[in-house]
């Protein structure tokens, strides 16, 4: 699975952190969650932002897509 990409984050003067994914707002973090995010994002920014926003693949999308329950076939 390729690593996540396309994430950027901006910290506003009031301490709010806005996480963008390909230019669209994916998450807005305030207060303690923003501080926790900023402390964690230094390690691997793309991976951390993907995890915090839920915008990452789990590896089973193709399997789930082809499952009879999801295709309308029985």
């Amino acid at each position: 699975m390729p690593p996540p990409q396309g994430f950027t984050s901006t910290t506003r003067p009031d301490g709010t952190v806005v996480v963008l994914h390909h230019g669209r707002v994916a998450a807005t973090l305030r207060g303690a969650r923003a501080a926790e995010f900023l402390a964690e994002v230094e390690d691997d920014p793309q991976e951390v932002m993907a995890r915090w926003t839920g915008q990452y693949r789990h590896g089973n999308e193709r399997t789930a897509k082809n499952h009879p329950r999801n295709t309308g076939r029985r």
Side-chain angles (χ1 to χ4, degrees):
M1 179 169 44
Q5 54 186 327
F7 288 95
T8 57
S9 66
T10 304
T11 305
R12 295 180 178 167
D14 66 353
T16 301
V17 177
V18 178
V19 180
L20 303 170
H21 185 237
H22 295 292
R24 293 185 178 189
V25 175
T28 303
L29 308 169
R30 294 178 181 87
R33 288 188 45 87
E36 185 180 342
F37 171 81
L38 290 172
E40 189 176 338
V41 78
E42 296 174 2
D43 297 333
D44 183 9
Q46 294 295 305
E47 185 71 35
V48 171
M49 286 187 269
R51 192 165 29 84
W52 274 73
T53 60
Q55 302 291 330
Y56 58 94
R57 295 190 179 253
H58 303 280
N60 63 351
E61 289 83 5
R62 184 174 295 142
T63 304
K65 180 181 175 186
N66 294 331
H67 191 277
R69 175 183 60 230
N70 298 326
T71 60
R73 295 178 281 173
R74 297 255 178 209

